[in-house]
Amino acid sequence: MTATRSGRPSRERRNRAAAVRAFERQEARGGIFEILHDEVAWTIDNGRTHTSQAGFLAKGAAPVMGRLASTLVMTIRALWTDGDTMIIRFDGDVAAIDGAEYHNEYCRVWRPHGGRVARSHASMDIIAVQELIDHVEPG
């Protein structure tokens, strides 16, 4: 079967467009996490896997987001698609609520299902995250 007949290029275009829209929502002070399936499996470099959007937002994202003065500015550095896999490398920058600058480099591997991310593997500078958590009290 050829790539065109398999629907792979159109699927890759849809996945790429969905990822870009999620980052655009973040840029507009919306939420990038709206792209997540309710039952997303989200694995972070430290080996912890959250098995729902609500669980990830409460235990994975909230400890960081609660220490930020505003929405994280995410700048895509590279975006690759291969079938139903998206790899997004991006920078995140924002001031913490104490005024200190927070910068991190991220890489996410996303697998969508039904137009939303059902599986995510998140890589980041864990030391930068830990320093933020250790030095800034949540707001």
Side-chain angles (χ1 to χ4, degrees):
M1 188 179 293
T2 66
T4 303
R5 288 183 50 137
S6 72
R8 185 176 178 148
S10 62
R11 186 172 62 235
E12 289 176 354
R13 280 191 300 274
R14 280 193 311 272
N15 290 340
R16 180 182 193 83
V20 169
R21 281 192 307 275
F23 277 82
E24 288 170 348
R25 278 193 304 274
Q26 179 75 11
E27 182 80 15
R29 305 288 190 243
I32 193 167
F33 299 125
E34 294 170 13
I35 195 171
L36 300 182
H37 193 280
D38 292 341
E39 296 177 11
V40 66
W42 186 286
T43 301
I44 301 173
D45 274 345
N46 64 5
R48 179 176 296 155
T49 297
H50 303 279
T51 57
S52 70
Q53 183 186 92
F56 164 70
L57 292 176
K59 294 185 179 169
V64 172
M65 294 169 49
R67 290 169 166 83
L68 305 180
S70 63
T71 304
L72 187 68
V73 175
M74 298 177 176
T75 305
I76 296 175
R77 297 297 176 203
L79 171 59
W80 300 273
T81 57
D82 183 13
D84 280 332
T85 300
M86 296 177 276
I87 303 170
I88 307 120
R89 192 175 69 78
F90 63 97
D91 292 339
D93 293 281
V94 68
I97 57 177
D98 69 352
E101 293 299 314
Y102 172 74
H103 170 80
N104 209 321
E105 296 177 14
Y106 300 87
C107 184
R108 294 203 177 127
V109 179
W110 282 351
R111 299 240 355 159
H113 178 73
R116 297 176 74 195
V117 174
R119 182 79 181 103
S120 177
H121 184 92
S123 297
M124 68 204 76
D125 181 347
I126 296 294
I127 293 171
V129 171
Q130 193 61 54
E131 286 176 353
L132 177 72
I133 290 170
D134 289 347
H135 296 99
V136 179
E137 290 297 318

